[in-house]
Amino acid sequence: NAGVTQTPKFRILKIGQSMTLQCAQDMNHNYMYWYRQDPGMGLKLIYYSVGAGITDKGEVPNGYNVSRSTTEDFPLRLELAAPSQTSVYFCASRALRESGNTIYFGEGSWLTVV
Amino acid sequence: AQKITQTQPGMFVQEKEAVTLDCTYDTSDQSYGLFWYKQPSSGEMIFLIYQGSYDEQNATEGRYSLNFQKARKSANLVISASQLGDSAMYFCAMREGTHKVFGAGTILRVKS
């Protein structure tokens, strides 16, 4: 099983550039999430989605946008990259009915804004 | 207010000894779930253990056990017989509604 796939794994952006972090899951999960993890820090929720067509803001949504046109895909868009967005980004997904251990994380995307 | 508090930014433990990583949480929900994840230096997040708020027994998964004290709102992770490969960042998390909130993490270093 592919699970949760994130691309790219590494990226360097210049200030003001835009990019999209791709996230796809093949487990037919309803819930999908984007987290960021700053160096030495925990995870902070950026956006989440409870199903296709539905997205909502998390704790730190400023500077980001998401869309959920299909169950499988949940891309994260950075419109005007800023140095404060240098971070590691994790996409995650879980089933609608969670037994407790069914959240799956992608491998992470390392983004540096210079 | 912090939902999940991990008061230990870093911990050292001697190989083969047990270690407890602290986690306290804050919620007004009656139904919630508590999780622990391991993040090695390679960066991926690895699920370790889960405790539901209505579970009467503490969760155990191999060398991992969760010391769940509901009245104190604590969900400490106990790792028995530490191994060098246990050196990593450990995150406590709580399911709230549709998503999880994470603590700041505790770095564990196992010494040989």
Side-chain angles (χ1 to χ4, degrees), chain B:
Chain B
Q2 288 276 16
K3 294 283 189 179
I4 295 284
T5 303
Q6 294 180 251
T7 57
Q8 308 150 313
M11 289 281 288
F12 283 98
V13 64
Q14 195 67 39
E15 193 178 9
K16 299 181 184 178
E17 291 185 351
V19 63
T20 298
L21 305 183
D22 295 341
C23 173
T24 57
Y25 59 93
D26 181 24
T27 182
S28 56
D29 291 349
Q30 295 300 310
S31 177
Y32 52 89
L34 297 156
F35 306 76
W36 277 93
Y37 292 88
K38 173 184 178 181
Q39 186 182 45
S41 57
S42 50
E44 71 270 28
M45 296 287 282
I46 302 168
F47 165 79
L48 295 178
I49 196 166
Y50 166 79
Q51 180 85 41
S53 58
Y54 292 118
D55 294 342
E56 294 184 352
Q57 292 191 332
N58 287 343
T60 60
E61 289 286 347
R63 293 186 298 111
Y64 304 108
S65 60
L66 201 151
N67 184 1
F68 181 46
Q69 298 186 44
K70 195 170 182 177
R72 297 179 59 187
K73 292 188 176 179
S74 75
N76 299 339
L77 176 71
V78 180
I79 305 175
S80 62
S82 297
Q83 302 172 356
L84 295 177
D86 292 335
S87 292
M89 184 82 134
Y90 288 81
F91 290 100
C92 180
M94 177 174 64
R95 169 172 49 80
E96 261 206 333
T98 57
H99 56 272
K100 286 186 174 59
V101 291
F102 286 79
T106 297
I107 298 174
L108 176 67
R109 288 290 176 258
V110 180
K111 300 183 290 184
S112 59

Side-chain angles (χ1 to χ4, degrees), chain A residues 23 32-34 47-49 55 66-68 73-76:
Chain A
C23 176
M32 294 189 75
Y33 309 85
W34 274 106
Y47 270 95
Y48 67 100
S49 168
T55 63
V66 293
S67 60
R68 186 93 183 271
D73 300 300
F74 191 40
L76 177 71

